[in-house]
Amino acid sequence: MNLEYRLTNQDYQEAYRANYQSQRISYWLLWLVAGLLVLVGFLYIVAPRGDRPISLFLGILSIGVGICLIPDVYHRLFFPGLWRSHPVLREPILLEITEDWLVYHSDSIQARIKWHVYTHFLETPNLFLIYPNQNLYGVLPKRALGSSDRISEFRQFLRLKVRQPIPR
């Protein structure tokens, strides 16, 4: 099966969110740290200790860092810049799917990967994320597959070829 597609900024954002949420401990730990930083920031502002300008500065800094660490805020703040500054993310992609290989072609990258390399996959409403390890994944938008029948066929194919799907 040959698929041609181009990933969008929204695809990358959805993939990032789904990947991070699938790593539940890291996701909730980051939320906890972000929440604590925001709380400490409010405490510095509301109940300053010592020099008022320094407490105000530390409070605002703590709140700002805490907000930036919230996963959903992070990707909304930083992905647009990443998207604009890396044209390779916007290149058209040709993906060849065979019984033995997943072959990826773009203007800048060519990769040929055997299916046994992939450890698991994750499905979102619009994407398939296919992982060769816990922290790296390839993104395939479902729109590239076309019909719901082809999406179902590909899902079944992934279940046969990839070791373990991640439950959502």
Side-chain angles (χ1 to χ4, degrees):
M1 173 183 338
N2 290 334
L3 304 173
E4 290 187 49
Y5 59 94
R6 190 182 300 250
L7 292 169
T8 66
N9 187 26
Q10 290 79 15
D11 292 334
Y12 283 108
Q13 288 186 16
E14 183 177 335
Y16 171 82
R17 267 192 316 273
N19 175 62
Y20 214 91
Q21 289 172 356
S22 74
Q23 299 172 18
R24 288 176 177 83
I25 293 173
S26 298
Y27 182 74
W28 291 113
L29 185 62
L30 197 54
W31 267 102
L32 177 66
V33 170
L36 288 174
L37 281 170
V38 170
L39 178 64
V40 166
F42 278 121
L43 291 176
Y44 267 113
I45 292 171
V46 174
R49 295 201 169 161
D51 193 8
R52 175 82 176 142
I54 291 176
S55 289
L56 187 60
F57 171 76
L58 290 174
I60 292 170
L61 180 66
S62 181
I63 290 169
V65 169
I67 288 172
C68 286
L69 285 178
I70 296 172
D72 296 333
V73 171
Y74 172 83
H75 82 268
R76 285 195 178 104
L77 288 176
F78 299 106
F79 263 63
L82 180 69
W83 179 254
R84 283 190 301 276
S85 64
H86 290 83
V88 69
L89 298 175
R90 299 185 301 273
E91 291 180 350
I93 297 165
L94 171 63
L95 190 66
E96 295 176 48
I97 301 168
T98 71
E99 282 294 320
D100 298 320
W101 300 91
L102 189 63
V103 185
Y104 178 97
H105 302 273
S106 75
D107 293 341
S108 302
I109 300 169
Q110 291 194 14
R112 184 174 158 152
I113 304 166
K114 286 198 173 244
W115 280 108
H116 73 82
V117 170
Y118 293 100
T119 60
H120 57 282
F121 71 93
L122 174 66
E123 183 176 354
T124 73
N126 302 305
L127 308 170
F128 287 103
L129 280 63
I130 308 170
Y131 292 78
N133 66 50
Q134 188 64 33
N135 299 311
L136 183 65
Y137 55 88
V139 179
L140 174 62
K142 290 181 179 178
R143 68 180 175 276
L145 293 161
S147 70
S148 60
D149 289 340
R150 284 188 71 188
I151 291 170
S152 295
E153 287 173 21
F154 185 69
R155 184 183 302 114
Q156 288 301 105
F157 182 78
L158 280 177
R159 286 185 179 136
L160 292 172
K161 293 295 183 180
V162 178
R163 290 187 225 151
Q164 180 65 41
I166 297 176
R168 290 252 330 149

